[in-house]
Amino acid sequence: MILRPWDRVKPRSMSDLACFLLVAIFVPVTYIFQVTTVMPELFAIGGFWYTVLWLASLFVIFNITSNMLACMLVDTSIRMELLKPPVDTGKLARWHMCHDCQTLVPPRSWHCEVCKVCVLKRDHHCRFTCCCIGHHNYRYFFFYLVYMIIGSLAAAIMESIYLWHLHPDIYWRWSTLFTVFAPVVSLMLYPSWASFYVVIYDLTLLGFAISSLLLVFHWSIVKSGSVTRERGTRKYDRGLRGNLEMVLGHRMHLTWLSPFLRSDLPHDGVNWEPIVAFSPKED
């Protein structure tokens, strides 16, 4: 594993910065809200369920933040490999020239206009992590989405009970509906803790919706062994287990525990050869 230098980790566009700050602020604020305000009203502090949920929330918040950071820090560009174009003309024909990088790059590697570099097995540029998702950091992106879904769903359920069941006298009002659909405007016009809690609730639902849509989209790609640009083709399909191992590594059954757990990938990300026959129109 090779890490990016710090000067290449920072956001490179305003949209990257905005999306990154949204998550970087939303996740810890939601966690603090859950632990200090919501959970003490749902469970007795120090009780069995409070302790279980507190420990579970720590595990989830750890995996959200650490997988997000791993996405940003792990270098998956062509700079981390000593590229040696193959001598065999058949294999060399699969390589292509990147006019931006001024070098021959291997198959499944494409240039990112934001990162200004070619990325090995490039899937897409992720605005929330300010980097490209490719061969070496797809695992962290995958679990980042998984734990965002788990965390935001659990938070949304507890927040719903807190807002609509425990405090109906405060939140069952027409003004709350305005806050739900125009949270920023409402918070500016009527600043209060009650409005702020509804904003957090809004962001929690938004986080669950976006993460779920992204995971559904990317799961269809992962299980077919492709990337976004190859969607609809199966020329690198190694079967479900082989495709998952290509993303999560040899110890894929343990990778959900932590991004720090080593799980070597079975491929170098450079020398790709199609597994099944495909039509030139699909390429």
Side-chain angles (χ1 to χ4, degrees):
M1 180 187 299
I2 297 178
L3 302 182
R4 290 186 177 92
W6 281 107
D7 63 332
R8 289 179 53 215
V9 175
K10 61 185 180 182
R12 293 177 175 271
S13 68
M14 289 304 298
S15 54
D16 276 14
L17 179 62
C19 291
F20 170 75
L21 288 178
L22 180 64
V23 175
I25 296 172
F26 155 70
V27 170
V29 167
T30 302
Y31 173 74
I32 293 170
F33 175 53
Q34 292 294 319
V35 173
T36 62
T37 305
V38 177
M39 286 173 54
E41 291 209 25
L42 298 179
F43 310 99
I45 297 178
F48 175 76
W49 285 112
Y50 181 91
T51 304
V52 168
L53 288 173
W54 180 73
L55 291 173
S57 65
L58 279 179
F59 177 75
V60 171
I61 199 77
F62 162 75
N63 272 286
I64 290 174
T65 54
S66 56
N67 277 293
M68 181 179 178
L69 286 173
C71 274
M72 300 174 70
L73 293 173
V74 173
D75 195 346
T76 192
S77 70
I78 60 171
R79 292 171 179 165
M80 70 166 295
E81 297 284 349
L82 181 60
L83 297 180
K84 295 181 179 179
V87 178
D88 182 84
T89 55
K91 294 180 179 180
L92 184 61
R94 300 191 187 100
W95 288 54
H96 60 277
M97 171 63 72
C98 175
H99 298 289
D100 294 284
C101 295
Q102 289 296 301
T103 187
L104 272 176
V105 293
R108 312 186 82 187
S109 298
W110 294 286
H111 192 82
C112 176
E113 295 299 331
V114 181
C115 298
K116 307 297 183 185
V117 68
C118 283
V119 175
L120 296 173
K121 192 188 169 188
R122 182 178 184 268
D123 186 84
H124 70 287
H125 182 86
C126 177
R127 298 294 179 185
F128 296 102
T129 59
C130 311
C131 66
C132 273
I133 306 302
H135 184 63
H136 292 285
N137 64 353
Y138 204 124
R139 160 193 168 182
Y140 311 114
F141 173 73
F142 180 80
F143 282 116
Y144 168 61
L145 291 181
V146 168
Y147 282 106
M148 274 293 290
I149 292 172
I150 294 173
S152 55
L153 177 60
I157 292 173
M158 289 191 287
E159 288 168 11
S160 296
I161 297 173
Y162 175 85
L163 297 177
W164 315 123
H165 179 68
L166 297 181
H167 298 282
D169 54 318
I170 299 176
Y171 296 102
W172 279 105
R173 299 177 180 179
W174 287 109
S175 58
T176 303
L177 192 63
F178 174 68
T179 305
V180 168
F181 288 101
V184 177
V185 176
S186 177
L187 193 60
M188 292 176 64
L189 294 177
Y190 311 105
S192 66
W193 283 111
S195 296
F196 182 61
Y197 293 165
V198 175
V199 171
I200 295 177
Y201 181 65
D202 261 6
L203 290 174
T204 303
L205 295 177
L206 182 65
F208 174 72
I210 293 176
S211 301
S212 298
L213 289 173
L214 286 173
L215 186 62
V216 169
F217 175 82
H218 284 282
W219 173 247
S220 65
I221 293 173
V222 170
K223 71 178 183 180
S224 64
S226 58
V227 294
T228 298
R229 192 162 177 169
E230 303 162 345
R231 197 178 183 207
T233 70
R234 305 186 74 92
K235 55 187 176 182
Y236 298 104
D237 189 359
R238 291 170 167 78
L240 181 58
R241 181 180 177 83
N243 295 334
L244 284 174
E245 190 173 2
M246 195 63 65
V247 171
L248 305 179
H250 292 299
R251 304 173 70 192
M252 61 181 182
H253 58 290
L254 297 175
T255 50
W256 62 275
L257 289 170
S258 168
F260 296 105
L261 192 148
R262 182 170 178 173
S263 182
D264 295 330
L265 298 175
H267 200 283
D268 61 4
V270 177
N271 301 294
W272 296 101
E273 293 189 27
I275 301 298
V276 296
F278 62 97
S279 168
K281 293 182 180 179
E282 296 176 336
D283 193 13

